[in-house]
Amino acid sequence: MNIPALPSDLNGFHIHCVGIKGTGVAALVEILHARGAVITGSDVSERFYTDEILEKLKITPLSFDEKNITDSVQLVIYSSAYSPDTNPELKEAKKRGIPLMLYTQALGAFSKTAFSCGVCGVHGKTTTTGLCGSIFKELELPGAVLAGSIISSFGGCTYTSPKSSENFPLKNPVFIAETCEYQRHFMSFSPQKIILTSVESDHQDYYPAYEDIRSAFVDYICLLPEGGQLIYCADDKGAEETARIAAEKRPDLELVPYGEKAEGPWHLEFGRIEGGKQYFKIGELGEFGLTVPGKHNVRNSTAAVALNCELLKACGKDPSEYTEKIKKGLLNFRGGRRRSEIVGRAKTPLGQEVIFIDDYAHHPTAIKTTLEGFRNFYRGYKILVDFMSHTYTRTAALLEEFASSFGAADSVIINKIYGSARENPSSASVTGQTLAERAKQYHADVTYCGEFDEASETAFKMLQKPSGSRYPEGYIFVTMGAGNNWQVGTKLLEKLGGAGSSCNSGGVTDASTASASKK
């Protein structure tokens, strides 16, 4: 793919971003701004959590208007949510002959300027990238990290090292980035190393069959240079299969497995859970701790440790000499926005604790593993979950898998489906109520509440009852999905008079657009 080049020197270079509030675009803006570029941008007036990032950079998003394309603009980067044929700013830029670059192309162009490492997979991309960056930051390696959400240990979606280090001699600075499989967006990226967390059927509107999405991952892996490294999860059947197929096409690649089933330095052993941490061992490096729940996050941590250690090796360093810094980096990780994020705490009318969690899980496998992680981590709490399925095509294709994914929750509330902008709800074969009725065949306590007010009222009634002797600590209330049902948690938190985060998710969930419905 022929990707336009970015200037090697961005100081004073004026870039205008259309759809600047999109998570991916805002993250790239952070990095370009740190490199000295002059940034302006436009988007809808609705407030998203990325507004926080832009405010820190002193960037005020403008309303869409052709007048925003001034004589000083040298490049326009735009979100896939907007078309050069219809958006007034993109039409004006085309008229003026100003270069246009889709966000994924801009990310790819930037990757060519660095020693780039792509993090991919159907599940766990954002968290794994955040874990990579948390360790990377502690090691003080030179370069930048870009994730598809705000990472607490970064203070934004990205981390940029303050300066290059002579202790880590590389020809180019390192760039670790979350790379997305949807519509093969990651094919614009130029990876030197890749982490592959998982492969299974998803995005059925674009990949009708599992083999279609698997082929996309194989093609991405084959972008690696001769001798490039694929760090893949040996515990995930799809990832293992994809790695094997890629290796058949590219026998020169170095396959680096991690997980319980992996042999070698990245073999994983799960340990105890105590004191708000889960412990685990990685090969000969010893025991590590993590403060976020779920075995899937331990696997993600192992991938992050493996990548950083491979980067240390590339710099001629012995990873065993950096073990304490790696451990500290993992413990510094507190999650990302909408990734098992604790958004508030309150008391029930009976005085029991309620911990409010918001999570992006929107695929049956992610729902199941995330809820199981909560069950093991918060053993004394009763778990209530409010779920909003994302896209009619995904819900229809995986209806039974969705319906059977809530086993670790005690009570389930299901909302109406959050459709894509490309879908017609009236012609869909499923609804949120369809999902709720199917879920009742697998779970004893399922309620359909199409609207958020109804859902918060239902949950409030549930919380007026004692949690029971099995759950002496109280309740966990989880809003889950790629839609905007975080509002249910906000409404419920207000009803209980609890303390919550002042900056909720705001509905921004797509790594390249300002609205999940655009994806």
Side-chain angles (χ1 to χ4, degrees):
M1 183 177 293
N2 185 23
I3 301 172
L6 282 173
S8 56
D9 182 4
L10 288 172
N11 280 301
F13 189 77
H14 186 175
I15 302 173
H16 184 78
C17 298
V18 176
I20 196 170
K21 295 185 184 183
T23 307
V25 179
L28 185 59
V29 162
E30 283 188 274
I31 290 177
L32 297 175
H33 184 273
R35 295 289 179 92
V38 175
I39 305 291
T40 56
S42 55
D43 213 312
V44 295
S45 59
E46 183 181 353
R47 185 173 178 83
F48 299 106
Y49 73 71
T50 48
D51 278 287
E52 302 168 41
I53 295 170
L54 300 174
E55 285 164 1
K56 288 180 182 177
L57 301 178
K58 295 182 170 53
I59 297 171
T60 302
L62 306 168
S63 299
F64 296 123
D65 191 323
E66 63 182 28
K67 294 178 181 178
N68 296 333
I69 306 301
T70 63
D71 292 340
S72 66
V73 174
Q74 295 166 275
L75 171 68
V76 174
I77 295 173
Y78 66 100
S79 158
S80 61
Y82 304 101
S83 168
D85 296 326
T86 57
N87 181 271
E89 295 179 0
L90 297 178
K91 289 170 68 175
E92 179 65 17
K94 282 177 65 177
K95 179 180 175 182
R96 288 171 174 254
I98 299 171
L100 298 178
M101 205 181 282
L102 190 63
Y103 158 72
T104 49
Q105 294 176 329
L107 184 67
F110 187 83
S111 72
K112 286 187 173 183
T113 69
F115 186 92
S116 295
C117 307
V119 181
C120 69
V122 171
H123 313 297
K125 294 184 289 291
T126 300
T127 298
T128 303
T129 307
L131 286 158
C132 285
S134 297
I135 298 171
F136 187 87
K137 182 178 180 182
E138 194 63 32
L139 293 175
E140 298 179 318
L141 285 161
V145 182
L146 182 152
S149 182
I150 289 180
I151 304 298
S152 58
S153 56
F154 297 176
C157 294
T158 68
Y159 163 74
T160 300
S161 58
K163 59 182 179 180
S164 61
S165 172
E166 296 180 358
N167 294 325
F168 300 103
L170 287 172
K171 183 178 179 181
N172 293 313
V174 175
F175 180 44
I176 302 172
E178 175 179 343
T179 55
C180 182
E181 73 277 6
Y182 187 61
Q183 296 183 341
R184 290 178 166 251
H185 285 157
F186 51 22
M187 294 302 292
S188 298
F189 201 74
S190 296
Q192 301 295 313
K193 299 179 188 291
I194 288 175
I195 288 177
L196 176 62
T197 63
S198 53
V199 179
E200 63 178 298
S201 182
D202 197 13
H203 304 299
Q204 286 78 12
D205 60 324
Y206 191 80
Y207 301 113
Y210 162 71
E211 290 76 15
D212 299 323
I213 196 169
R214 184 187 63 192
S215 293
F217 281 104
V218 170
D219 290 346
Y220 178 48
I221 293 165
C222 288
L223 292 179
L224 286 167
E226 184 176 355
Q229 281 186 327
L230 172 64
I231 301 169
Y232 71 96
C233 184
D235 298 341
D236 184 88
K237 181 180 178 182
E240 190 279 330
E241 182 181 47
T242 302
R244 177 166 40 83
I245 294 171
E248 290 171 359
K249 289 190 172 188
R250 289 283 309 278
D252 63 288
L253 296 179
E254 181 183 355
L255 267 56
V256 182
Y258 68 90
E260 279 189 292
K261 296 180 181 178
E263 296 181 0
W266 314 119
H267 172 71
L268 168 65
E269 294 180 20
F270 290 100
R272 68 197 186 282
I273 298 174
E274 64 179 30
K277 297 185 183 71
Q278 51 180 339
Y279 293 90
F280 54 98
K281 292 181 180 179
I282 301 176
E284 300 298 322
L285 292 179
E287 187 177 70
F288 296 81
L290 191 66
T291 62
V292 294
K295 285 188 173 182
H296 59 295
N297 282 325
V298 171
R299 291 188 175 93
N300 294 338
S301 297
T302 307
V305 171
L307 176 60
N308 277 278
C309 287
E310 294 298 338
L311 289 172
L312 286 171
K313 291 178 186 177
C315 295
K317 305 296 182 181
D318 181 355
S320 65
E321 296 177 2
Y322 294 83
T323 303
E324 293 307 313
K325 287 191 173 185
I326 294 170
K327 290 181 178 181
K328 186 176 179 181
L330 284 181
L331 286 175
N332 285 342
F333 181 75
R334 291 291 187 272
R337 191 63 55 86
R338 300 217 68 197
R339 273 70 179 180
S340 300
E341 180 189 12
I342 295 177
V343 295
R345 295 175 185 269
K347 297 286 186 182
T348 71
L350 296 177
Q352 290 191 288
E353 182 179 33
V354 186
I355 300 174
F356 286 79
I357 297 176
D358 187 43
D359 193 90
Y360 182 61
H362 58 282
H363 186 284
T365 300
I367 295 164
K368 185 174 185 292
T369 56
T370 301
L371 290 175
E372 287 174 350
F374 293 158
R375 169 58 65 222
N376 290 327
F377 204 74
Y378 299 104
R379 292 178 181 174
Y381 292 82
K382 190 171 188 177
I383 298 176
L384 314 183
V385 59
D386 179 277
F387 176 69
M388 186 179 208
S389 195
H390 181 218
T391 81
Y392 292 91
T393 52
R394 180 186 283 122
T395 309
L398 303 174
L399 182 61
E400 292 303 317
E401 290 88 341
F402 273 115
S404 60
S405 64
F406 301 102
D410 296 286
S411 298
V412 183
I413 298 171
I414 293 179
N415 309 138
K416 63 185 178 183
I417 293 173
Y418 190 76
S420 163
R422 292 177 296 276
E423 296 180 308
N424 181 4
S426 63
S427 63
S429 62
V430 295
T431 64
Q433 190 154 12
T434 307
L435 174 57
E437 292 304 315
R438 296 298 292 174
K440 288 178 182 178
Q441 298 183 21
Y442 296 94
H443 200 288
D445 189 359
V446 178
T447 306
Y448 176 69
C449 297
E451 303 301 326
F452 298 156
D453 284 339
E454 181 187 4
S456 64
E457 287 289 348
T458 298
F460 185 68
K461 291 176 182 178
M462 292 177 177
L463 293 175
Q464 292 184 56
K465 301 174 183 178
S467 58
S469 58
R470 184 180 173 189
Y471 303 115
E473 302 297 331
Y475 289 91
I476 300 290
F477 183 78
V478 185
T479 47
M480 182 170 277
N484 58 349
N485 62 319
W486 52 267
Q487 295 178 50
V488 177
T490 300
K491 291 174 183 291
L492 185 57
L493 191 59
E494 290 173 353
K495 285 179 183 292
L496 295 173
S501 170
S502 61
C503 45
N504 57 40
S505 301
V508 181
T509 55
D510 183 357
S512 61
T513 71
S515 170
S517 65
K518 303 282 175 60
K519 188 170 181 177

